[in-house]
Amino acid sequence: MSAGSADAAPTVADAGEHRIIALVRAQLAAPPPWVVIGIGDDAAVVEPARNHLEVLTTDALVDGVHFDRRFVDPASIGFRALAVNLSDLAAMGATPRVALLSLGLPPSLPLADLESLVAGLVELAARHKVTLVGGNVTRSPGPLFLDVTVTGMAKRRKVLTRSGARVGDELYVTGTLGAAAAGLSWLQAHGLPVDVSTLSIALQAAILRYLRPEPRLRFGVIAARTRAASACMDLSDGLADAIAQLTAASGVGAQIDADALPVDPAALERFGSVDDAARVALSAGDDYELLCAVPRRARRRFEAVARTTGLAITRIGVVSPASSGVILRRAGVDTPLPSGFEHFHR
Amino acid sequence: MSAGSADAAPTVADAGEHRIIALVRAQLAAPPPWVVIGIGDDAAVVEPARNHLEVLTTDALVDGVHFDRRFVDPASIGFRALAVNLSDLAAMGATPRVALLSLGLPPSLPLADLESLVAGLVELAARHKVTLVGGNVTRSPGPLFLDVTVTGMAKRRKVLTRSGARVGDELYVTGTLGAAAAGLSWLQAHGLPVDVSTLSIALQAAILRYLRPEPRLRFGVIAARTRAASACMDLSDGLADAIAQLTAASGVGAQIDADALPVDPAALERFGSVDDAARVALSAGDDYELLCAVPRRARRRFEAVARTTGLAITRIGVVSPASSGVILRRAGVDTPLPSGFEHFHR
């Protein structure tokens, strides 16, 4: 499986496990003092955060399912693998602490790509003060896969769940919807490298949103700490799925105003009609914005979270009794919101 | 990708993500009270163990690399995916608490196999009081893979690392060596189902050792608690690799007595000559026994750990100064221990 020729770029197959681990470690900053034992032993050892609960999540990205190496650069793959996990912590209002990275590497993967992949992950980790304390490296006889586990901390009674929404709460989303889908659609059509000079500002931003999603950690943490939201969930599987999950977990219904959805300009540009863009905004994942239920008495506080974080928020509907179901209101006409958009293809 | 025919057994592709998650949840016992939020939200929330450090590890198993579905039954796959992680905790002297399971499923995987796989994992989890609190399910366009992350707890200053071995300490291994390799070799030649009636007792046990490795958790925990060992590591990549890693991390050398290695009777039976069996005992992974460095003043305590846990221990050598290297002594002749046996193929 070795390259054979001296000219060929070295691949993972040329390196061996120890060199791959060394390559990862070389990119890491010194760990904080509460990391008692980091990478290099049978397991990592960490001092728990005092007076906090521990929050844990794991998410895998697989080549050909969650990204495509033909149009997602290695650094973005690493960045996204951590981002999707941090987004889950954001939705719980938890502050991240440590990450574990499990890599399944095709032997033909260039070592330079692996180095970039780790660099992308480390870049986002540094931004959010996440320490990579361990992981695993194995060969993959199939696609490249990355499985990241992240732990975080949250104060007791200040954890944001999916199940706290109550009738009368208002539903908000952060940011805009459909941007990542527009970016993905452009990348699928044109591939890398991106020549931004020919693109609108909105589409440039949308491509970046797909490649480097920004987990809304500060928003989630402050919303949880100030009790500005009664329930929260990230939009990793799209808004329609999030609404279905959050209402089911809370035992409520919802009325969503289709015309209020903050459809990203790039989605309008890329998907043509307003209707198509709205459908994308409801069904597309990858935006990693947050859906929050906000009690009316907490609205001011919620608006303050948006101001503090500089993130736009949009009221998209209201929580109703379970008996009235989950309804999408568009131009005055009510239809049941297609709940599923469940996709084992992701 | 659906089976198409009503007669065909349903596969993962027929189920969808929510049904797969429901299938996993259906097999779980009620979580202990310190699990604040289990499976079903964006992340799990756990109460940390008071006055303990937290120990974290992750390990992935990939079809065609770490196991082969042609001769490893689904329940054993699930069992092993957790066992390899618990073995890492055992080597740290940590008591496991929670697990996260990340599954990459080929769409053609029969749902019944998935159910068995989860059952195997849950069986071992129950035995060691590990709570499955979360995970991830995705499609795999390639092989089946399972990535398990486990957290555990250990008392401060009672964590067993690889780096504590000192010159003059004696080196011990638990159990016997080469059993799993003998079992694997038999399975590779004959496949499933195993007709045990024709096999020796030793080979029957060896096959079971490969399919259902027993992490030496109790041994590791008691050895750590009683300070019976100065350093410890599991044999997941074989004894030679473990000796190389432990001596390097401790900054010491070692003299290993090849004739003292506790070669499993099944390895002798399967691999013929004593020399071949000893080579297998040095290089083969999958036994998941422990290598421990034991200060001479702690020998009695270490022997007591063995008695308490009912596990055999064998003195295989002694820790020497780094300058003398890692030496294998066989029939009075010293040779450098082949340190590597590094294999990216695993």
Side-chain angles (χ1 to χ4, degrees), chain A residues 251-286:
Chain A
V252 297
Q255 196 176 74
I256 305 299
D257 180 1
D259 304 317
L261 297 178
V263 179
D264 192 89
L268 285 170
E269 179 185 334
R270 184 84 196 151
F271 302 114
S273 81
V274 173
D275 265 16
D276 284 347
R279 197 153 32 73
V280 169
L282 273 170
S283 63
D286 296 325

mmCIF file of all heavy atoms in Angstrom, chain A residues 251-286:
data_model
loop_
_atom_site.group_PDB
_atom_site.id
_atom_site.type_symbol
_atom_site.label_atom_id
_atom_site.label_comp_id
_atom_site.label_asym_id
_atom_site.label_seq_id
_atom_site.Cartn_x
_atom_site.Cartn_y
_atom_site.Cartn_z
ATOM 1 N N GLY A 251 -43.867 17.410 24.909
ATOM 2 C CA GLY A 251 -45.288 17.076 24.992
ATOM 3 C C GLY A 251 -46.195 18.230 24.611
ATOM 4 O O GLY A 251 -47.232 18.460 25.231
ATOM 5 N N VAL A 252 -45.797 18.980 23.587
ATOM 6 C CA VAL A 252 -46.577 20.133 23.136
ATOM 7 C C VAL A 252 -46.725 20.096 21.622
ATOM 8 O O VAL A 252 -46.167 19.234 20.948
ATOM 9 C CB VAL A 252 -45.887 21.460 23.540
ATOM 10 C CG1 VAL A 252 -45.797 21.597 25.056
ATOM 11 C CG2 VAL A 252 -44.477 21.546 22.920
ATOM 12 N N GLY A 253 -47.506 21.031 21.082
ATOM 13 C CA GLY A 253 -47.563 21.253 19.645
ATOM 14 C C GLY A 253 -46.891 22.576 19.320
ATOM 15 O O GLY A 253 -46.275 23.198 20.191
ATOM 16 N N ALA A 254 -47.015 22.996 18.052
ATOM 17 C CA ALA A 254 -46.425 24.280 17.665
ATOM 18 C C ALA A 254 -47.117 24.805 16.423
ATOM 19 O O ALA A 254 -47.642 24.036 15.606
ATOM 20 C CB ALA A 254 -44.923 24.133 17.393
ATOM 21 N N GLN A 255 -47.136 26.130 16.310
ATOM 22 C CA GLN A 255 -47.619 26.758 15.092
ATOM 23 C C GLN A 255 -46.463 27.579 14.536
ATOM 24 O O GLN A 255 -45.976 28.506 15.184
ATOM 25 C CB GLN A 255 -48.799 27.665 15.425
ATOM 26 C CG GLN A 255 -49.582 28.050 14.202
ATOM 27 C CD GLN A 255 -50.808 28.866 14.562
ATOM 28 O OE1 GLN A 255 -50.686 30.027 14.904
ATOM 29 N NE2 GLN A 255 -51.972 28.243 14.526
ATOM 30 N N ILE A 256 -46.023 27.194 13.348
ATOM 31 C CA ILE A 256 -44.853 27.837 12.747
ATOM 32 C C ILE A 256 -45.313 28.750 11.613
ATOM 33 O O ILE A 256 -46.166 28.362 10.802
ATOM 34 C CB ILE A 256 -43.881 26.770 12.189
ATOM 35 C CG1 ILE A 256 -43.499 25.753 13.278
ATOM 36 C CG2 ILE A 256 -42.640 27.427 11.588
ATOM 37 C CD1 ILE A 256 -42.789 26.328 14.483
ATOM 38 N N ASP A 257 -44.763 29.942 11.562
ATOM 39 C CA ASP A 257 -45.111 30.909 10.522
ATOM 40 C C ASP A 257 -44.080 30.825 9.401
ATOM 41 O O ASP A 257 -42.965 31.342 9.513
ATOM 42 C CB ASP A 257 -45.132 32.311 11.147
ATOM 43 C CG ASP A 257 -45.497 33.377 10.128
ATOM 44 O OD1 ASP A 257 -45.759 33.026 8.951
ATOM 45 O OD2 ASP A 257 -45.522 34.563 10.508
ATOM 46 N N ALA A 258 -44.449 30.147 8.311
ATOM 47 C CA ALA A 258 -43.498 29.913 7.213
ATOM 48 C C ALA A 258 -42.944 31.218 6.671
ATOM 49 O O ALA A 258 -41.776 31.295 6.274
ATOM 50 C CB ALA A 258 -44.170 29.121 6.089
ATOM 51 N N ASP A 259 -43.787 32.245 6.666
ATOM 52 C CA ASP A 259 -43.353 33.506 6.071
ATOM 53 C C ASP A 259 -42.337 34.239 6.949
ATOM 54 O O ASP A 259 -41.687 35.175 6.493
ATOM 55 C CB ASP A 259 -44.574 34.403 5.808
ATOM 56 C CG ASP A 259 -45.596 33.674 4.941
ATOM 57 O OD1 ASP A 259 -45.166 33.025 3.960
ATOM 58 O OD2 ASP A 259 -46.796 33.695 5.265
ATOM 59 N N ALA A 260 -42.214 33.803 8.205
ATOM 60 C CA ALA A 260 -41.274 34.465 9.110
ATOM 61 C C ALA A 260 -39.876 33.840 9.067
ATOM 62 O O ALA A 260 -38.930 34.402 9.618
ATOM 63 C CB ALA A 260 -41.807 34.415 10.544
ATOM 64 N N LEU A 261 -39.749 32.670 8.429
ATOM 65 C CA LEU A 261 -38.454 31.965 8.464
ATOM 66 C C LEU A 261 -37.338 32.844 7.898
ATOM 67 O O LEU A 261 -37.462 33.387 6.800
ATOM 68 C CB LEU A 261 -38.538 30.660 7.647
ATOM 69 C CG LEU A 261 -39.532 29.610 8.149
ATOM 70 C CD1 LEU A 261 -39.533 28.400 7.219
ATOM 71 C CD2 LEU A 261 -39.236 29.201 9.579
ATOM 72 N N PRO A 262 -36.239 32.970 8.622
ATOM 73 C CA PRO A 262 -35.136 33.818 8.156
ATOM 74 C C PRO A 262 -34.288 33.117 7.098
ATOM 75 O O PRO A 262 -33.182 32.650 7.367
ATOM 76 C CB PRO A 262 -34.333 34.072 9.435
ATOM 77 C CG PRO A 262 -34.571 32.845 10.260
ATOM 78 C CD PRO A 262 -35.969 32.380 9.947
ATOM 79 N N VAL A 263 -34.868 33.030 5.885
ATOM 80 C CA VAL A 263 -34.170 32.335 4.801
ATOM 81 C C VAL A 263 -32.938 33.145 4.392
ATOM 82 O O VAL A 263 -33.020 34.353 4.171
ATOM 83 C CB VAL A 263 -35.112 32.146 3.598
ATOM 84 C CG1 VAL A 263 -34.369 31.436 2.457
ATOM 85 C CG2 VAL A 263 -36.347 31.361 4.012
ATOM 86 N N ASP A 264 -31.830 32.477 4.305
ATOM 87 C CA ASP A 264 -30.582 33.160 3.964
ATOM 88 C C ASP A 264 -30.633 33.645 2.511
ATOM 89 O O ASP A 264 -31.139 32.938 1.633
ATOM 90 C CB ASP A 264 -29.406 32.196 4.158
ATOM 91 C CG ASP A 264 -28.073 32.908 4.104
ATOM 92 O OD1 ASP A 264 -27.623 33.366 5.177
ATOM 93 O OD2 ASP A 264 -27.500 33.041 2.998
ATOM 94 N N PRO A 265 -30.106 34.839 2.258
ATOM 95 C CA PRO A 265 -30.090 35.368 0.884
ATOM 96 C C PRO A 265 -29.433 34.410 -0.112
ATOM 97 O O PRO A 265 -29.866 34.323 -1.271
ATOM 98 C CB PRO A 265 -29.266 36.654 1.003
ATOM 99 C CG PRO A 265 -29.291 37.036 2.442
ATOM 100 C CD PRO A 265 -29.538 35.781 3.229
ATOM 101 N N ALA A 266 -28.418 33.684 0.341
ATOM 102 C CA ALA A 266 -27.742 32.753 -0.562
ATOM 103 C C ALA A 266 -28.672 31.614 -0.974
ATOM 104 O O ALA A 266 -28.589 31.108 -2.095
ATOM 105 C CB ALA A 266 -26.491 32.186 0.104
ATOM 106 N N ALA A 267 -29.574 31.212 -0.068
ATOM 107 C CA ALA A 267 -30.537 30.159 -0.407
ATOM 108 C C ALA A 267 -31.514 30.674 -1.457
ATOM 109 O O ALA A 267 -31.877 29.953 -2.398
ATOM 110 C CB ALA A 267 -31.273 29.688 0.845
ATOM 111 N N LEU A 268 -31.949 31.929 -1.297
ATOM 112 C CA LEU A 268 -32.839 32.532 -2.299
ATOM 113 C C LEU A 268 -32.127 32.601 -3.643
ATOM 114 O O LEU A 268 -32.693 32.268 -4.687
ATOM 115 C CB LEU A 268 -33.254 33.937 -1.854
ATOM 116 C CG LEU A 268 -34.290 33.978 -0.727
ATOM 117 C CD1 LEU A 268 -34.453 35.397 -0.191
ATOM 118 C CD2 LEU A 268 -35.629 33.447 -1.235
ATOM 119 N N GLU A 269 -30.866 33.000 -3.616
ATOM 120 C CA GLU A 269 -30.092 33.140 -4.853
ATOM 121 C C GLU A 269 -29.892 31.780 -5.523
ATOM 122 O O GLU A 269 -30.061 31.621 -6.725
ATOM 123 C CB GLU A 269 -28.734 33.771 -4.504
ATOM 124 C CG GLU A 269 -27.816 33.950 -5.700
ATOM 125 C CD GLU A 269 -26.434 34.478 -5.269
ATOM 126 O OE1 GLU A 269 -26.333 35.152 -4.213
ATOM 127 O OE2 GLU A 269 -25.453 34.196 -5.996
ATOM 128 N N ARG A 270 -29.593 30.759 -4.699
ATOM 129 C CA ARG A 270 -29.207 29.464 -5.247
ATOM 130 C C ARG A 270 -30.410 28.622 -5.644
ATOM 131 O O ARG A 270 -30.353 27.854 -6.606
ATOM 132 C CB ARG A 270 -28.368 28.730 -4.187
ATOM 133 C CG ARG A 270 -27.799 27.404 -4.619
ATOM 134 C CD ARG A 270 -26.498 27.550 -5.390
ATOM 135 N NE ARG A 270 -26.190 26.323 -6.090
ATOM 136 C CZ ARG A 270 -25.505 26.245 -7.219
ATOM 137 N NH1 ARG A 270 -25.045 27.341 -7.790
ATOM 138 N NH2 ARG A 270 -25.282 25.088 -7.800
ATOM 139 N N PHE A 271 -31.506 28.733 -4.851
ATOM 140 C CA PHE A 271 -32.642 27.836 -5.088
ATOM 141 C C PHE A 271 -33.805 28.533 -5.771
ATOM 142 O O PHE A 271 -34.901 27.983 -5.857
ATOM 143 C CB PHE A 271 -33.075 27.190 -3.773
ATOM 144 C CG PHE A 271 -31.963 26.423 -3.114
ATOM 145 C CD1 PHE A 271 -31.429 26.830 -1.908
ATOM 146 C CD2 PHE A 271 -31.428 25.305 -3.728
ATOM 147 C CE1 PHE A 271 -30.387 26.133 -1.314
ATOM 148 C CE2 PHE A 271 -30.385 24.600 -3.141
ATOM 149 C CZ PHE A 271 -29.857 25.013 -1.933
ATOM 150 N N GLY A 272 -33.592 29.769 -6.243
ATOM 151 C CA GLY A 272 -34.566 30.439 -7.094
ATOM 152 C C GLY A 272 -35.785 30.934 -6.367
ATOM 153 O O GLY A 272 -35.759 31.977 -5.748
ATOM 154 N N SER A 273 -36.861 30.168 -6.374
ATOM 155 C CA SER A 273 -38.136 30.661 -5.856
ATOM 156 C C SER A 273 -38.118 30.739 -4.339
ATOM 157 O O SER A 273 -37.390 30.009 -3.662
ATOM 158 C CB SER A 273 -39.267 29.746 -6.311
ATOM 159 O OG SER A 273 -39.313 28.615 -5.476
ATOM 160 N N VAL A 274 -38.937 31.631 -3.821
ATOM 161 C CA VAL A 274 -39.082 31.778 -2.378
ATOM 162 C C VAL A 274 -39.560 30.458 -1.764
ATOM 163 O O VAL A 274 -39.093 30.045 -0.701
ATOM 164 C CB VAL A 274 -40.071 32.922 -2.057
ATOM 165 C CG1 VAL A 274 -40.360 32.973 -0.557
ATOM 166 C CG2 VAL A 274 -39.515 34.247 -2.551
ATOM 167 N N ASP A 275 -40.477 29.780 -2.449
ATOM 168 C CA ASP A 275 -41.012 28.516 -1.946
ATOM 169 C C ASP A 275 -39.914 27.454 -1.812
ATOM 170 O O ASP A 275 -39.816 26.770 -0.797
ATOM 171 C CB ASP A 275 -42.090 27.987 -2.901
ATOM 172 C CG ASP A 275 -43.471 28.418 -2.439
ATOM 173 O OD1 ASP A 275 -43.535 29.346 -1.593
ATOM 174 O OD2 ASP A 275 -44.449 27.832 -2.919
ATOM 175 N N ASP A 276 -39.104 27.325 -2.848
ATOM 176 C CA ASP A 276 -38.022 26.341 -2.804
ATOM 177 C C ASP A 276 -37.042 26.667 -1.687
ATOM 178 O O ASP A 276 -36.592 25.775 -0.962
ATOM 179 C CB ASP A 276 -37.271 26.315 -4.146
ATOM 180 C CG ASP A 276 -38.071 25.585 -5.217
ATOM 181 O OD1 ASP A 276 -39.062 24.917 -4.838
ATOM 182 O OD2 ASP A 276 -37.725 25.697 -6.394
ATOM 183 N N ALA A 277 -36.700 27.943 -1.552
ATOM 184 C CA ALA A 277 -35.747 28.347 -0.525
ATOM 185 C C ALA A 277 -36.321 28.065 0.859
ATOM 186 O O ALA A 277 -35.599 27.626 1.763
ATOM 187 C CB ALA A 277 -35.401 29.821 -0.680
ATOM 188 N N ALA A 278 -37.623 28.295 1.049
ATOM 189 C CA ALA A 278 -38.246 28.049 2.350
ATOM 190 C C ALA A 278 -38.243 26.551 2.657
ATOM 191 O O ALA A 278 -38.032 26.130 3.798
ATOM 192 C CB ALA A 278 -39.676 28.584 2.368
ATOM 193 N N ARG A 279 -38.478 25.745 1.621
ATOM 194 C CA ARG A 279 -38.460 24.296 1.822
ATOM 195 C C ARG A 279 -37.058 23.846 2.254
ATOM 196 O O ARG A 279 -36.885 23.048 3.166
ATOM 197 C CB ARG A 279 -38.894 23.575 0.548
ATOM 198 C CG ARG A 279 -39.286 22.138 0.759
ATOM 199 C CD ARG A 279 -40.300 21.631 -0.279
ATOM 200 N NE ARG A 279 -40.115 22.272 -1.565
ATOM 201 C CZ ARG A 279 -39.101 22.024 -2.427
ATOM 202 N NH1 ARG A 279 -38.197 21.120 -2.122
ATOM 203 N NH2 ARG A 279 -39.023 22.655 -3.569
ATOM 204 N N VAL A 280 -36.069 24.404 1.593
ATOM 205 C CA VAL A 280 -34.690 24.106 1.980
ATOM 206 C C VAL A 280 -34.427 24.558 3.415
ATOM 207 O O VAL A 280 -33.819 23.830 4.211
ATOM 208 C CB VAL A 280 -33.695 24.783 1.001
ATOM 209 C CG1 VAL A 280 -32.269 24.708 1.544
ATOM 210 C CG2 VAL A 280 -33.781 24.133 -0.367
ATOM 211 N N ALA A 281 -34.910 25.748 3.750
ATOM 212 C CA ALA A 281 -34.687 26.295 5.100
ATOM 213 C C ALA A 281 -35.299 25.385 6.160
ATOM 214 O O ALA A 281 -34.799 25.281 7.279
ATOM 215 C CB ALA A 281 -35.264 27.694 5.197
ATOM 216 N N LEU A 282 -36.395 24.715 5.826
ATOM 217 C CA LEU A 282 -37.055 23.819 6.784
ATOM 218 C C LEU A 282 -36.342 22.477 6.885
ATOM 219 O O LEU A 282 -36.288 21.866 7.953
ATOM 220 C CB LEU A 282 -38.502 23.568 6.358
ATOM 221 C CG LEU A 282 -39.542 24.566 6.843
ATOM 222 C CD1 LEU A 282 -40.865 24.314 6.134
ATOM 223 C CD2 LEU A 282 -39.724 24.453 8.362
ATOM 224 N N SER A 283 -35.831 21.995 5.765
ATOM 225 C CA SER A 283 -35.376 20.603 5.734
ATOM 226 C C SER A 283 -33.869 20.436 5.796
ATOM 227 O O SER A 283 -33.384 19.385 6.200
ATOM 228 C CB SER A 283 -35.900 19.929 4.461
ATOM 229 O OG SER A 283 -35.344 20.568 3.329
ATOM 230 N N ALA A 284 -33.121 21.468 5.429
ATOM 231 C CA ALA A 284 -31.679 21.273 5.303
ATOM 232 C C ALA A 284 -30.993 21.276 6.659
ATOM 233 O O ALA A 284 -31.320 22.069 7.537
ATOM 234 C CB ALA A 284 -31.086 22.361 4.418
ATOM 235 N N GLY A 285 -30.037 20.382 6.811
ATOM 236 C CA GLY A 285 -29.203 20.407 8.000
ATOM 237 C C GLY A 285 -28.010 21.301 7.754
ATOM 238 O O GLY A 285 -28.035 22.172 6.873
ATOM 239 N N ASP A 286 -26.993 21.115 8.515
ATOM 240 C CA ASP A 286 -25.694 21.749 8.299
ATOM 241 C C ASP A 286 -25.624 23.220 8.689
ATOM 242 O O ASP A 286 -24.550 23.808 8.637
ATOM 243 C CB ASP A 286 -25.214 21.610 6.842
ATOM 244 C CG ASP A 286 -24.966 20.160 6.473
ATOM 245 O OD1 ASP A 286 -24.508 19.402 7.348
ATOM 246 O OD2 ASP A 286 -25.234 19.783 5.328
#
